[in-house]
């Protein structure tokens, strides 16, 4: 390993932001595998996620709020139920090809693929500020959260780097998910804020503001995560997206 490519433990150790007690997690808790996650032992204090997010450009560590499988607080994070070796590179996948493929596989009579929803682009500062507000809301919620740190260049890629396989029943390669999230980062100012066993919590700086915009985004959501939308009328789901600065997905 190049001296310029610090390991996750070295990056955590070099942080100037004070951290709560915690330690590194290796896939399958295998000592022969490199650590892919730093995990706190307790809930993060208010404001810490935001401070670490602001430091990302200097540290290369993306913060995640992590929650566990209902009924099993050790899965997936404490048990190291992570498979980074099974993941490809998000840069190798095109959302414009992935989403219509998923749409066709999951289509419940919604018709032909309408194409990617347009996005005007977002000021990164606005996207970061929205992410900070969503993180504060999650920390203040009743759900149990721990703080995670992943050595990733962007939030979208953190899921692939850590080897999260929550969407395994939808796609066995989380790089597909990261590829779509990269596109959403650019078009809608999305930031990855929280992750559960098979849940994903995103902030959205530029959500759809009209019925037509929301319908296009809802189609992407249905392709991306059919379980979130299935059973709902797609137009009704779309209406709930208008002006909403947070998207929540879960895979069965």
């Amino acid at each position: 390993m190049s001296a310029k490519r610090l390991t996750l433990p070295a990056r955590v150790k070099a942080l100037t932001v004070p951290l709560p007690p915690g330690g590194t997690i290796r896939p399958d808790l295998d000592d022969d595998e490199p650590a892919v996650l730093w995990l706190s032992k307790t809930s993060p204090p208010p404001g810490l996620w935001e401070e670490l997010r602001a430091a990302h450009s200097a540290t290369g560590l993306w913060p995640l709020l992590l929650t566990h499988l209902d009924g099993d607080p050790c899965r997936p994070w404490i048990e190291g139920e992570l498979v980074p070796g099974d993941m490809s590179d998000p840069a190798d996948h095109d959302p414009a090809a992935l989403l219509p493929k998923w749409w066709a596989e999951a289509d419940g009579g919604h018709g032909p693929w309408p194409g990617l929803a347009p996005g005007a682009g977002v000021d990164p500062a606005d996207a970061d500020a929205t992410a900070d507000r969503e993180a504060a809301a999650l920390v203040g919620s009743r759900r149990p959260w721990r703080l995670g740190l992943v050595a990733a260049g962007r939030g979208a890629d953190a899921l692939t780097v850590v080897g999260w396989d929550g969407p395994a029943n939808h796609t066995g390669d989380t790089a597909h998910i990261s590829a779509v999230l990269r596109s959403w980062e650019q078009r809608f100012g999305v930031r990855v804020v929280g992750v559960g066993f098979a849940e994903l919590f995103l902030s959205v700086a530029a959500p759809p503001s009209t019925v037509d915009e929301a319908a296009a985004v809802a189609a992407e959501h249905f392709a991306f995560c059919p379980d979130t939308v299935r059973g709902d009328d797609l137009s009704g789901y779309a209406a709930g997206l208008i002006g909403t600065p947070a998207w929540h997905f879960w895979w069965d």
Side-chain angles (χ1 to χ4, degrees), residues 31-139:
D31 288 340
D32 292 331
E33 293 289 329
V36 293
L37 172 69
W38 182 92
L39 182 68
S40 70
K41 292 182 179 179
T42 58
S43 299
L48 180 57
W49 189 95
E50 298 92 306
E51 192 173 0
L52 289 164
R53 194 276 312 150
H56 171 258
S57 61
T59 66
L61 296 171
W62 186 262
L64 296 171
L65 294 173
L66 302 176
T67 191
H68 56 70
L69 176 67
D70 287 345
D72 193 340
C74 292
R75 297 183 65 192
W77 315 110
I78 294 175
E79 288 190 357
E81 199 171 331
L82 307 167
V83 287
D86 290 354
M87 310 307 175
S88 61
D89 187 338
D92 292 338
H93 307 287
D94 182 1
L98 287 170
L99 288 167
K101 173 179 177 291
W102 289 337
W103 172 270
E105 292 170 351
D107 182 18
H110 296 302
W113 169 243
L116 292 183
V122 182
D123 184 338
D126 291 341
D128 290 339
T130 304
D132 291 348
R133 290 192 293 271
E134 176 62 10
L138 291 178
V139 169

Side-chain angles (χ1 to χ4, degrees), residues 11-241:
R11 291 190 185 196
V12 171
K13 187 175 180 180
L15 264 177
T16 58
V17 178
L19 295 176
T24 54
I25 302 293
R26 302 171 187 272
D28 295 324
L29 306 183
D30 186 346
D31 288 340
D32 292 331
E33 293 289 329
V36 293
L37 172 69
W38 182 92
L39 182 68
S40 70
K41 292 182 179 179
T42 58
S43 299
L48 180 57
W49 189 95
E50 298 92 306
E51 192 173 0
L52 289 164
R53 194 276 312 150
H56 171 258
S57 61
T59 66
L61 296 171
W62 186 262
L64 296 171
L65 294 173
L66 302 176
T67 191
H68 56 70
L69 176 67
D70 287 345
D72 193 340
C74 292
R75 297 183 65 192
W77 315 110
I78 294 175
E79 288 190 357
E81 199 171 331
L82 307 167
V83 287
D86 290 354
M87 310 307 175
S88 61
D89 187 338
D92 292 338
H93 307 287
D94 182 1
L98 287 170
L99 288 167
K101 173 179 177 291
W102 289 337
W103 172 270
E105 292 170 351
D107 182 18
H110 296 302
W113 169 243
L116 292 183
V122 182
D123 184 338
D126 291 341
D128 290 339
T130 304
D132 291 348
R133 290 192 293 271
E134 176 62 10
L138 291 178
V139 169
S141 70
R142 294 179 177 271
R143 296 196 65 154
W145 297 102
R146 295 187 184 220
L147 174 68
L149 292 172
V150 181
R154 57 202 295 174
D157 292 358
L159 305 177
T160 297
V161 172
V162 79
W164 177 63
D165 68 344
N169 291 333
H170 182 56
T171 175
D173 186 354
T174 302
H176 295 157
I177 300 298
S178 293
V180 175
L181 293 175
R182 284 182 171 196
S183 178
W184 287 354
E185 284 177 344
Q186 181 179 11
R187 286 184 286 146
F188 308 115
V190 158
R191 295 288 184 268
V192 177
V193 178
V195 191
F197 181 79
E199 293 179 274
L200 184 59
F201 300 81
L202 308 176
S203 63
V204 191
S209 59
T210 69
V211 171
D212 288 344
E213 290 174 1
V217 173
E220 292 196 32
H221 283 202
F222 181 74
F224 180 75
C225 184
D227 296 313
T228 297
V229 184
R230 202 185 304 278
D232 292 340
D233 173 70
L234 197 58
S235 61
Y237 176 86
L241 298 176

